[in-house]
Amino acid sequence: MTQSAKAAIAARKKSRRLIVQALYQSQHSDQSNHELMAQFLAFHDFGKADTDYFKEVVGGVLSEQDELDTLIDQCSKIPIHQIDPVERGVLWLSFYELKHRMDIPYPVVINEAIQLAKTFGADQSHRFINATLDKSLAELRALELTAKRHRE
C-alpha cells in the first residue's frame, strides 16, 4: 500500500470520528445544519482529516435523517428513538455509507462502525452496532453480498 493510500485511509478514519461527534451534537442542539457544520469546521482540529468527506456525510445524514431512521428501525431490535445518541450517530454514519458510498466495501463500513462504538459508545454497544449493520446488508448491499458468496 502506498503512502498516499495510507494517508487517505487515516484521513477518512479521522473524519469518521469527527462525523460521529457532530451527529451526536446535532441531537443535543437546536443549531441549524449549516450552523453545526460551520462550528465543527471552525473549532475542531481537521488537521489530516478528509474535510470534504466530513461535509458530505454530515450534510447527507442530516438531510436524509428520516429515511435513515426508517432503515435503522427495520434492522434494529431497538426503536430508533430509544437508541443511545452515540450509537445512533454511528448507525447514521454507517447506514449513509452503506447506502451511498459503494466505493467503500461493507466489511470496512462495519469494522469502522465497531471501532467507533468501542471508542465512543457504551461497553457492549459494538455488538448491537454489528448486529444491526449485518441485518442491513441484505437490503443495502445485496449485490455485494451475492458477489462475495459466488467468490467463496
Side-chain angles (χ1 to χ4, degrees):
M1 183 179 296
T2 67
Q3 287 294 70
S4 175
K6 288 179 184 178
I9 290 169
R12 186 69 57 88
K13 281 182 178 287
K14 183 166 185 179
S15 294
R16 285 188 181 100
R17 292 175 64 93
L18 291 165
I19 289 165
V20 170
Q21 292 171 12
L23 294 175
Y24 176 84
Q25 183 174 323
S26 74
Q27 298 172 70
H28 298 286
S29 165
D30 59 357
Q31 292 175 302
S32 72
N33 296 353
H34 178 73
E35 290 169 329
L36 175 72
M37 192 92 65
Q39 179 193 15
F40 254 79
L41 292 170
F43 295 108
H44 287 80
D45 177 21
F46 274 79
K48 295 182 180 179
D50 183 340
T51 307
D52 291 336
Y53 193 70
F54 172 87
K55 290 176 185 178
E56 173 198 338
V57 175
V58 171
V61 166
L62 294 176
S63 68
E64 293 181 27
Q65 186 174 333
D66 291 339
E67 184 179 341
L68 293 173
D69 285 350
T70 299
L71 289 169
I72 293 167
D73 264 337
Q74 293 169 357
C75 300
S76 172
K77 293 180 179 181
I78 303 171
I80 189 71
H81 66 279
Q82 292 180 2
I83 297 174
D84 178 85
V86 171
E87 285 82 20
R88 193 177 310 133
V90 172
L91 287 171
W92 282 337
L93 162 62
S94 302
F95 272 70
Y96 179 87
E97 287 182 329
L98 289 171
K99 184 177 178 202
H100 293 289
R101 296 302 304 245
M102 297 302 159
D103 59 314
I104 304 171
Y106 74 82
V108 172
V109 174
I110 292 174
N111 185 55
E112 290 293 318
I114 290 169
Q115 294 307 313
L116 288 164
K118 286 180 177 180
T119 300
F120 296 113
D123 189 28
Q124 295 297 314
S125 66
H126 65 282
R127 292 178 184 208
F128 165 71
I129 296 289
N130 187 30
T132 304
L133 292 174
D134 278 346
K135 190 169 180 185
S136 76
L137 295 177
E139 173 150 346
L140 296 174
R141 293 290 180 98
L143 292 176
E144 194 175 346
L145 275 176
T146 303
K148 182 179 181 191
R149 287 186 190 123
H150 285 259
R151 288 190 303 263
E152 294 174 346

